[in-house]
């Protein structure tokens, strides 16, 4: 009986430690793509008009131990950067840094959310935070999630104000060359 209890305790401790490491494992996986760019495509329907027929590129441009920046280029629009940050409590934050062409912050920028738990190395969920709720009317119930495996990276958004889901998938098996840089 004691041996079974000890085995159960060790398994439980291992599962808890693994769950707490999800955000760090996710960041380690994303870090493997630092300074690489990948082509993507919108896989949801309908394709938003500002994305239709545009080249989509993600570029993992900056990799610090607790923060990774991933500009997301939509044609010639270089205004978007996803910023992933591990917070002091171990949770992962996703912010959307939007810039004007002169590099100054857009009026609507740094919105997003923080995971409610550490997630896993393959998927992270980001419910909208209070800052987003105050900045963008109706966005307080948005949910973003990102998936990452050996072959794909996906960025996903569910807006409570619409029926559909927005999904962009990037092929990580084929790095591309790009001279584009975020504004």
């Amino acid at each position: 009986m004691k041996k079974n209890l000890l085995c159960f305790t060790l398994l439980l401790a291992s599962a808890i430690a693994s769950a707490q490491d999800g955000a760090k494992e996710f960041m380690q996986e994303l870090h493997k793509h630092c300074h690489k760019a990948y082509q993507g495509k919108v896989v949801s329907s309908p394709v938003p008009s500002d994305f239709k027929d545009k080249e989509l590129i993600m570029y993992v441009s900056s990799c610090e131990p607790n923060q990774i920046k991933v500009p997301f280029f939509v044609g010639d629009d270089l205004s978007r950067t996803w910023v992933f940050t591990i917070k002091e409590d171990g949770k992962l934050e996703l912010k959307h840094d939007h810039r004007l062409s002169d590099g100054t912050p857009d009026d609507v920028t740094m919105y997003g959310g923080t995971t409610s738990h550490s997630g896993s190395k393959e998927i992270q969920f980001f419910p909208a935070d209070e800052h987003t709720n105050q900045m963008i009317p109706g966005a307080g119930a948005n949910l973003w999630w990102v998936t990452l495996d050996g072959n794909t990276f996906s960025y996903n958004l569910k807006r409570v104000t619409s029926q559909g889901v927005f999904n962009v998938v990037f092929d990580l098996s084929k790095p591309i060359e790009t001279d584009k840089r975020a504004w």
Side-chain angles (χ1 to χ4, degrees), residues 68-83:
I68 297 178
K69 294 181 179 180
V70 183
F72 173 39
F73 309 132
V74 179
D76 292 329
D77 183 346
L78 312 178
S79 66
R80 301 168 176 88
T81 299
W82 300 314
V83 181

PDB file of all heavy atoms in Angstrom, residues 68-83:
ATOM      1  N   ILE A  68       9.834  36.556 -26.444  1.00  0.00           N
ATOM      2  CA  ILE A  68      10.083  36.319 -27.866  1.00  0.00           C
ATOM      3  C   ILE A  68       9.133  37.207 -28.660  1.00  0.00           C
ATOM      4  O   ILE A  68       7.928  37.247 -28.388  1.00  0.00           O
ATOM      5  CB  ILE A  68       9.877  34.835 -28.241  1.00  0.00           C
ATOM      6  CG1 ILE A  68      10.898  33.965 -27.493  1.00  0.00           C
ATOM      7  CG2 ILE A  68       9.996  34.637 -29.752  1.00  0.00           C
ATOM      8  CD1 ILE A  68      10.756  32.473 -27.742  1.00  0.00           C
ATOM      9  N   LYS A  69       9.695  37.921 -29.646  1.00  0.00           N
ATOM     10  CA  LYS A  69       8.893  38.786 -30.509  1.00  0.00           C
ATOM     11  C   LYS A  69       8.815  38.171 -31.902  1.00  0.00           C
ATOM     12  O   LYS A  69       9.836  37.766 -32.458  1.00  0.00           O
ATOM     13  CB  LYS A  69       9.497  40.187 -30.581  1.00  0.00           C
ATOM     14  CG  LYS A  69       9.442  40.907 -29.239  1.00  0.00           C
ATOM     15  CD  LYS A  69      10.013  42.299 -29.326  1.00  0.00           C
ATOM     16  CE  LYS A  69       9.916  42.976 -27.960  1.00  0.00           C
ATOM     17  NZ  LYS A  69      10.455  44.347 -28.006  1.00  0.00           N
ATOM     18  N   VAL A  70       7.586  38.127 -32.415  1.00  0.00           N
ATOM     19  CA  VAL A  70       7.334  37.518 -33.713  1.00  0.00           C
ATOM     20  C   VAL A  70       6.530  38.490 -34.575  1.00  0.00           C
ATOM     21  O   VAL A  70       5.302  38.540 -34.484  1.00  0.00           O
ATOM     22  CB  VAL A  70       6.559  36.182 -33.571  1.00  0.00           C
ATOM     23  CG1 VAL A  70       6.362  35.533 -34.931  1.00  0.00           C
ATOM     24  CG2 VAL A  70       7.247  35.242 -32.599  1.00  0.00           C
ATOM     25  N   PRO A  71       7.213  39.299 -35.399  1.00  0.00           N
ATOM     26  CA  PRO A  71       6.462  40.121 -36.336  1.00  0.00           C
ATOM     27  C   PRO A  71       5.654  39.259 -37.301  1.00  0.00           C
ATOM     28  O   PRO A  71       6.106  38.190 -37.714  1.00  0.00           O
ATOM     29  CB  PRO A  71       7.551  40.906 -37.079  1.00  0.00           C
ATOM     30  CG  PRO A  71       8.680  40.965 -36.090  1.00  0.00           C
ATOM     31  CD  PRO A  71       8.638  39.626 -35.408  1.00  0.00           C
ATOM     32  N   PHE A  72       4.468  39.741 -37.625  1.00  0.00           N
ATOM     33  CA  PHE A  72       3.556  39.074 -38.549  1.00  0.00           C
ATOM     34  C   PHE A  72       3.269  40.045 -39.681  1.00  0.00           C
ATOM     35  O   PHE A  72       2.614  41.064 -39.482  1.00  0.00           O
ATOM     36  CB  PHE A  72       2.279  38.675 -37.807  1.00  0.00           C
ATOM     37  CG  PHE A  72       1.179  38.131 -38.675  1.00  0.00           C
ATOM     38  CD1 PHE A  72       1.439  37.292 -39.742  1.00  0.00           C
ATOM     39  CD2 PHE A  72      -0.141  38.447 -38.401  1.00  0.00           C
ATOM     40  CE1 PHE A  72       0.414  36.791 -40.538  1.00  0.00           C
ATOM     41  CE2 PHE A  72      -1.176  37.946 -39.179  1.00  0.00           C
ATOM     42  CZ  PHE A  72      -0.899  37.127 -40.252  1.00  0.00           C
ATOM     43  N   PHE A  73       3.810  39.751 -40.859  1.00  0.00           N
ATOM     44  CA  PHE A  73       3.696  40.630 -42.012  1.00  0.00           C
ATOM     45  C   PHE A  73       2.526  40.195 -42.894  1.00  0.00           C
ATOM     46  O   PHE A  73       2.400  39.020 -43.231  1.00  0.00           O
ATOM     47  CB  PHE A  73       4.986  40.613 -42.836  1.00  0.00           C
ATOM     48  CG  PHE A  73       6.230  40.864 -42.028  1.00  0.00           C
ATOM     49  CD1 PHE A  73       7.337  40.040 -42.167  1.00  0.00           C
ATOM     50  CD2 PHE A  73       6.304  41.920 -41.138  1.00  0.00           C
ATOM     51  CE1 PHE A  73       8.496  40.260 -41.435  1.00  0.00           C
ATOM     52  CE2 PHE A  73       7.449  42.156 -40.399  1.00  0.00           C
ATOM     53  CZ  PHE A  73       8.556  41.327 -40.544  1.00  0.00           C
ATOM     54  N   VAL A  74       1.714  41.170 -43.266  1.00  0.00           N
ATOM     55  CA  VAL A  74       0.578  40.931 -44.158  1.00  0.00           C
ATOM     56  C   VAL A  74       0.820  41.793 -45.394  1.00  0.00           C
ATOM     57  O   VAL A  74       0.566  42.999 -45.383  1.00  0.00           O
ATOM     58  CB  VAL A  74      -0.761  41.291 -43.488  1.00  0.00           C
ATOM     59  CG1 VAL A  74      -1.929  41.050 -44.442  1.00  0.00           C
ATOM     60  CG2 VAL A  74      -0.942  40.498 -42.200  1.00  0.00           C
ATOM     61  N   GLY A  75       1.400  41.184 -46.430  1.00  0.00           N
ATOM     62  CA  GLY A  75       1.789  41.951 -47.609  1.00  0.00           C
ATOM     63  C   GLY A  75       2.834  42.983 -47.217  1.00  0.00           C
ATOM     64  O   GLY A  75       3.843  42.654 -46.582  1.00  0.00           O
ATOM     65  N   ASP A  76       2.570  44.245 -47.548  1.00  0.00           N
ATOM     66  CA  ASP A  76       3.493  45.329 -47.203  1.00  0.00           C
ATOM     67  C   ASP A  76       3.190  45.940 -45.843  1.00  0.00           C
ATOM     68  O   ASP A  76       3.857  46.894 -45.434  1.00  0.00           O
ATOM     69  CB  ASP A  76       3.439  46.415 -48.284  1.00  0.00           C
ATOM     70  CG  ASP A  76       4.004  45.929 -49.605  1.00  0.00           C
ATOM     71  OD1 ASP A  76       4.916  45.069 -49.574  1.00  0.00           O
ATOM     72  OD2 ASP A  76       3.534  46.400 -50.657  1.00  0.00           O
ATOM     73  N   ASP A  77       2.193  45.439 -45.150  1.00  0.00           N
ATOM     74  CA  ASP A  77       1.841  45.930 -43.820  1.00  0.00           C
ATOM     75  C   ASP A  77       2.748  45.239 -42.798  1.00  0.00           C
ATOM     76  O   ASP A  77       2.625  44.041 -42.537  1.00  0.00           O
ATOM     77  CB  ASP A  77       0.371  45.647 -43.524  1.00  0.00           C
ATOM     78  CG  ASP A  77      -0.093  46.186 -42.183  1.00  0.00           C
ATOM     79  OD1 ASP A  77       0.756  46.555 -41.339  1.00  0.00           O
ATOM     80  OD2 ASP A  77      -1.314  46.231 -41.969  1.00  0.00           O
ATOM     81  N   LEU A  78       3.661  46.010 -42.228  1.00  0.00           N
ATOM     82  CA  LEU A  78       4.647  45.478 -41.287  1.00  0.00           C
ATOM     83  C   LEU A  78       4.346  45.940 -39.861  1.00  0.00           C
ATOM     84  O   LEU A  78       5.245  46.035 -39.030  1.00  0.00           O
ATOM     85  CB  LEU A  78       6.057  45.930 -41.702  1.00  0.00           C
ATOM     86  CG  LEU A  78       6.422  45.736 -43.181  1.00  0.00           C
ATOM     87  CD1 LEU A  78       7.819  46.268 -43.457  1.00  0.00           C
ATOM     88  CD2 LEU A  78       6.306  44.282 -43.581  1.00  0.00           C
ATOM     89  N   SER A  79       3.090  46.217 -39.578  1.00  0.00           N
ATOM     90  CA  SER A  79       2.703  46.869 -38.320  1.00  0.00           C
ATOM     91  C   SER A  79       2.507  45.929 -37.134  1.00  0.00           C
ATOM     92  O   SER A  79       2.458  46.378 -35.998  1.00  0.00           O
ATOM     93  CB  SER A  79       1.394  47.640 -38.531  1.00  0.00           C
ATOM     94  OG  SER A  79       0.314  46.750 -38.808  1.00  0.00           O
ATOM     95  N   ARG A  80       2.408  44.623 -37.358  1.00  0.00           N
ATOM     96  CA  ARG A  80       2.003  43.701 -36.296  1.00  0.00           C
ATOM     97  C   ARG A  80       3.188  42.900 -35.750  1.00  0.00           C
ATOM     98  O   ARG A  80       3.960  42.338 -36.511  1.00  0.00           O
ATOM     99  CB  ARG A  80       0.984  42.688 -36.827  1.00  0.00           C
ATOM    100  CG  ARG A  80      -0.275  43.264 -37.379  1.00  0.00           C
ATOM    101  CD  ARG A  80      -1.043  42.169 -38.138  1.00  0.00           C
ATOM    102  NE  ARG A  80      -2.314  42.621 -38.634  1.00  0.00           N
ATOM    103  CZ  ARG A  80      -2.504  43.201 -39.814  1.00  0.00           C
ATOM    104  NH1 ARG A  80      -1.476  43.409 -40.617  1.00  0.00           N
ATOM    105  NH2 ARG A  80      -3.707  43.566 -40.186  1.00  0.00           N
ATOM    106  N   THR A  81       3.255  42.801 -34.416  1.00  0.00           N
ATOM    107  CA  THR A  81       4.229  41.920 -33.761  1.00  0.00           C
ATOM    108  C   THR A  81       3.543  41.232 -32.594  1.00  0.00           C
ATOM    109  O   THR A  81       2.911  41.877 -31.761  1.00  0.00           O
ATOM    110  CB  THR A  81       5.460  42.707 -33.253  1.00  0.00           C
ATOM    111  OG1 THR A  81       6.104  43.333 -34.365  1.00  0.00           O
ATOM    112  CG2 THR A  81       6.450  41.793 -32.545  1.00  0.00           C
ATOM    113  N   TRP A  82       3.671  39.901 -32.560  1.00  0.00           N
ATOM    114  CA  TRP A  82       3.202  39.141 -31.405  1.00  0.00           C
ATOM    115  C   TRP A  82       4.331  39.111 -30.394  1.00  0.00           C
ATOM    116  O   TRP A  82       5.474  38.760 -30.726  1.00  0.00           O
ATOM    117  CB  TRP A  82       2.828  37.715 -31.797  1.00  0.00           C
ATOM    118  CG  TRP A  82       1.737  37.626 -32.821  1.00  0.00           C
ATOM    119  CD1 TRP A  82       0.561  38.318 -32.836  1.00  0.00           C
ATOM    120  CD2 TRP A  82       1.708  36.774 -33.967  1.00  0.00           C
ATOM    121  NE1 TRP A  82      -0.187  37.946 -33.925  1.00  0.00           N
ATOM    122  CE2 TRP A  82       0.493  37.005 -34.637  1.00  0.00           C
ATOM    123  CE3 TRP A  82       2.587  35.835 -34.495  1.00  0.00           C
ATOM    124  CZ2 TRP A  82       0.141  36.331 -35.797  1.00  0.00           C
ATOM    125  CZ3 TRP A  82       2.242  35.162 -35.652  1.00  0.00           C
ATOM    126  CH2 TRP A  82       1.025  35.413 -36.294  1.00  0.00           C
ATOM    127  N   VAL A  83       4.035  39.452 -29.149  1.00  0.00           N
ATOM    128  CA  VAL A  83       5.038  39.476 -28.094  1.00  0.00           C
ATOM    129  C   VAL A  83       4.636  38.446 -27.035  1.00  0.00           C
ATOM    130  O   VAL A  83       3.607  38.602 -26.373  1.00  0.00           O
ATOM    131  CB  VAL A  83       5.162  40.881 -27.454  1.00  0.00           C
ATOM    132  CG1 VAL A  83       6.235  40.884 -26.376  1.00  0.00           C
ATOM    133  CG2 VAL A  83       5.446  41.944 -28.519  1.00  0.00           C
TER     134      VAL A  83
END
